[in-house]
Amino acid sequence: MKRLDVDNLGERLTRRLAGRLSRRSALARLGAVLVAAPAFPLLPVQRARAADAGAVAQQGTDFSRAAQTHDDTACNYWRYCGIDGNLCSCCGGSTHSCPPGSQPSPTSWIGSCVNPGDQRSYLVAYRDCCGAKECNKCSCLNTDHAMPIYRPQANNHIIWCFGTQSFEYHCSMAVLVGLAE
Amino acid sequence: MNPIAHKAGRVAVGAAGLLMSIAAGIGAPTWAAQQPAAADAPPVLQSETAGVTPFAGLTPHELSYNTLDGLTGGGIRVIDGDTAKLIATVYSSQYANFAWAPDHRTLYVSETYWTLGNRGQREDVLSIYGGPALSNEGEIPLPGRLISDPKTNTFALSPDGRYAYDYTFQPAPGVSVTDLNARKVVTSVEIPGCGLVFPFGKRGFASLCADGSLAVADLDRQGKYSVHRTKRFFDIMKDPVMDESVADRGSGLALFITNDGWVHPVQLGDAPRFDPAWSIEVAAGLSPATSTVGQITWRPSGQVPFAYDAPRRRLFALMREDSPWNNEKAGSEIWVLDARHHRLLHRWPVPESALLVAITPDAHPLLFALSQEWLWVMDPDSGAVLRATEIVTPGLVRVRGE
Amino acid sequence: MSARVALRLVLFGLLGVATAAAANEPGGHPVSQLMPVQVAYLTSCGGCHGIEGISAPRAVPTLRHLTGSFLCTPEGRQFIVRIPDVALSNLSDQMLTRVMNWVVFDLGAPVPAGNAARRYTVAEVARLRREPLTQTGLTPYRERVVARVQARCAAAAGLSVYGAAYGPGVKSGSPKS
C-alpha cells in the first residue's frame, strides 16, 4: 500500500476539502453512516478550555497533539494513530463499515489513541476489509505505539484478513471499542 | 490441382515455417551459436531471431527489489547501479519475499496465491527461478506463511544456501524449514511469542521475541530442532527493536537496532554473545533519543532504514528529525557510522526523502537510496548522487550476498 | 461565505443532529467504558482472539463460552496459563491473574463444576507462567489436553474446531472458517 507523506498532508487535505463542494454528497455520506451505524458513538468532543490549553498541549501523544476530530478522511483523524493502509472512509465505507464488495475481517490488531478533545485514551480496533483489490485512496501510515511484527497484537503491517476468503487487502477501518481509562 | 488451393497451401506451409522458425528463435538463447540443421535450411533467412537477454547472475552493483503496490500486484526487479537501467523482472505475488542463492543466479520467492484471485484454494509456495533466462523451475509447497507488507527478515536462506527459513504466522508463529536440494519442507519450528529469522551456522536461526529476548533454534543431537531463549535485552513497550534490524550473513553478526537508535550488536550462535549497546545519536555527538512526548531529535526512520557494510564495518542509517513513534516515515539524511568505534563518519542529505537504503558488498560500493518513486545511486564516501531512475513502489531490497 | 466554510458548517451541524438523534436511536448508546481487565485482554489477546472472544475459529481458538471448559481437568487449568503467548505476555502477575479469571469465568463461561473449577490466584499464575510451553509442539499438546477435557466434559466439543486452518489442501473461505 502506498504511503502518504504526512508532511504534505496539510496541503493535500486543503485541496481535498476544497474539492468536495457537493453538499449533497457530504449529506449522503453522513446519512449512510447514520443508517449503517446504530452504535454511532457519542464522543465527548469538548473544545479545550482556553485556560487549560497549555496543559492540554503537554498531555496525550505526539500524534494526538496534531490530530483532529472532525474529518475521518484525513490521516490525522484522531482514531488513525496506528493505521496502515487505505482509509475505508475514502473507499465507500466508514471507520466501522467495509465498502460493498469487501468483507470485514474477524481479526484485527487493537491499539489505543488519545482523543484530543477530551485527552482520554480509547481502544481502536484496526480491522481490515478484504476481498477486493486495493482501494488505493487516502493512504496513511501512522505508528503511534505500534509494535514490530514479532508482537503481532499491535502490529499494523500484518494483513489482518484471517477468517475471510483471501488476503486481498482493500482498506482499513478504525473501529471504536471503548474508553480505555 | 486447384491453383488457388495450391497457392494457399504453399502460403500456409510458408507461414507455418515462419512461425516455427520464430518459435525456434524464441526458444533458442541468442548467445548460443545457432546451428541450423544441415538438411533443413530455413525457408526465410531472418535478420534477427528473438531470444532472451542472458542473465549472468546478480552482479555486485545490481540491486533487486520487489514492489509493494497493491494494484500492480508484486514482482521482483533487478536494476544495474552502474547504469540505473532495468535488467530483469520476475513475476511474484503480492506480499512476497525473496532471496538469491549463493550462486547469485537462482532466485527463491516465497509467495501466496488463491486459485481464484480473491478466493479459492490457498497456495503457499516457494517458487524457484534460475538459468540464463531466469525461468521458473517449479515450486515447493509451503505449509503456510506470513501475509504482511514485505519485511526483510521474514524469509532467509541459511548461509550456505541449502535451507530456506520462512516465518509463518497462521496466526500461531513458527518457522518452516525447506531443504532446497531435496525440494521439500523438512519441518516447522514453533516460536511462540517470537518472529522473524536471522540465520546462523549450518541449520541455526534466531528470532526476536516480544518479551525482549532472542529465541535461538538449532538441531539437537537427535537431529530435531530445539528452541531456547536468551536473557531479555530490550523492553519492547518502551523502545522496541525494529523489524528491519540487519545481520551480516557471513560473520553472523546482527545489529538489533531500536526505535530510539540503540544498536545491540549480537554475535549469533547457539549461545549468542551480546556486546554492549551503543546509541546512534550519541555516536553523532547528540544526547540519546527517548520516547518522551515532544522530544524532537534525530531518529532512525524508514521502511528499510538500515544497511550494513560488513567488510568496512559501516552502518548506514536513514535518519529523520522528529518526535517519537514516527519510525517508518521517510528519512532526510543517511548517516554513515563506524560500527566498531561507534562514531559518526558522514551525514549525507538524500534528494527529497528516502524510505529504503542499501549498500553493495564489493570493494567500490554503491549506496542506494529509494523513495516510493525514485532510486538514487550515490557514492557512500562523498554523498554525491551519481544517477537516478524511476521505480515502482518498493517493498524490500536485496543486493548480492543478502 | 466560502463554499469550504459552508461545507464545514453543514458537516458540524449534521454532526450535532446526528448525536442527538443517535442518543434516541434504538441500539444507540454512548461510548462504552472498558474495565482495566478488559483493556488488558483486548490489547494483549483481543486482536486475534476477537473482541468478544470470537474469531475465525479454525485459525485462532475461540474463547467465548469455551475456555471455561479447560477447568474440567487440572491439566487444562494449567495449560491455558502456560501457553507461551499468555505466560510470556507483558502483563504483571496481578493483571494476568485478573485476565485469566475474566477469560475463564466471564468470557468463557460456563465453568463446569469440579475440583479445578475455582478462581486462579496470583501465586498460582505466577508459578505457572514461569514454565511456559516453549519446548513442545503446542498444537499437538493442546489436542491431547482437549481430548482429556472432552472426556470429562461434554460441553467442550467446540474446543476441537481449532486446527491447522491454512495448510495445503485446505480450502479457504469455507463457511466453517
Side-chain angles (χ1 to χ4, degrees), chain B residues 56-356:
Chain B
L58 199 68
T59 65
H61 277 186
E62 281 174 349
L63 177 80
S64 58
Y65 77 97
N66 72 342
T67 65
L68 184 60
D69 194 325
L71 293 182
T72 63
I76 296 157
R77 288 165 166 79
V78 178
I79 298 193
D80 181 356
D82 289 330
T83 60
K85 290 202 183 310
L86 181 63
I87 299 295
T89 305
V90 171
Y91 191 82
S92 81
S93 73
Q94 272 192 72
Y95 312 124
N97 203 329
F98 66 98
W100 296 89
D103 68 4
H104 315 302
R105 291 166 188 268
T106 309
L107 177 64
Y108 296 101
V109 184
S110 167
E111 52 184 351
T112 302
Y113 296 93
W114 278 260
T115 53
L116 290 173
N118 74 334
R119 64 199 189 281
Q121 174 96 351
R122 173 172 167 162
E123 311 275 0
D124 298 293
V125 291
L126 188 53
S127 298
I128 306 164
Y129 291 87
L134 266 186
S135 323
N136 176 253
E137 297 178 348
E139 57 278 332
I140 306 167
L142 292 173
R145 52 185 291 276
L146 168 69
I147 307 288
S148 77
D149 291 338
K151 293 277 156 204
T152 307
N153 301 307
T154 57
F155 176 67
L157 306 187
S158 59
D160 63 8
R162 291 205 46 202
Y163 293 90
Y165 306 110
D166 204 316
Y167 170 40
T168 66
F169 184 72
Q170 299 295 80
V175 174
S176 69
V177 182
T178 302
D179 180 333
L180 295 170
N181 287 356
R183 289 223 182 182
K184 62 186 182 71
V185 175
V186 293
T187 190
S188 277
V189 183
E190 289 180 5
I191 48 163
C194 309
L196 305 178
V197 282
F198 297 92
F200 64 84
K202 283 240 160 267
R203 298 290 299 273
F205 61 87
S207 304
L208 282 163
C209 301
D211 69 347
S213 66
L214 279 181
V216 178
D218 210 339
L219 297 182
D220 62 19
R221 264 176 255 177
Q222 283 74 45
K224 287 190 150 318
Y225 270 97
S226 81
V227 183
H228 69 272
R229 306 264 194 140
T230 67
K231 64 170 185 182
R232 298 177 179 189
F233 67 102
F234 66 99
D235 182 341
I236 199 176
M237 303 304 281
K238 293 211 176 79
D239 188 21
V241 166
M242 298 170 87
D243 290 325
E244 290 297 316
S245 294
V246 286
D248 171 41
R249 294 164 55 74
S251 67
L253 176 71
L255 299 179
F256 293 118
I257 309 175
T258 71
N259 282 1
D260 286 344
W262 286 96
V263 181
H264 296 264
V266 180
Q267 184 61 50
L268 299 175
D270 290 336
R273 188 191 77 227
F274 292 84
D275 289 339
W278 56 278
S279 152
I280 291 175
E281 289 78 6
V282 170
L286 304 172
S287 305
T290 70
S291 48
T292 310
V293 171
Q295 192 206 23
I296 310 276
T297 186
W298 286 94
R299 303 168 186 279
S301 190
Q303 185 177 307
V304 177
F306 305 114
Y308 184 54
D309 171 16
R312 279 156 289 272
R313 309 253 209 124
R314 295 186 298 183
L315 173 66
F316 292 81
L318 275 170
M319 301 293 288
R320 175 187 178 89
E321 200 171 20
D322 206 342
S323 46
W325 299 107
N326 285 308
N327 294 85
E328 298 190 30
K329 298 203 162 101
S332 58
E333 293 186 3
I334 296 176
W335 287 14
V336 187
L337 296 139
D338 178 337
R340 182 166 22 178
H341 300 112
H342 313 161
R343 311 188 277 120
L344 178 71
L345 298 170
H346 309 292
R347 288 169 66 158
W348 303 136
V350 195
E352 299 176 23
S353 57
L355 284 165
L356 300 89

Side-chain angles (χ1 to χ4, degrees), chain A residues 153-165:
Chain A
Q153 302 94 315
N155 180 267
N156 60 9
H157 291 296
I158 294 169
I159 307 300
W160 290 100
C161 289
F162 299 97
T164 64
Q165 290 189 323

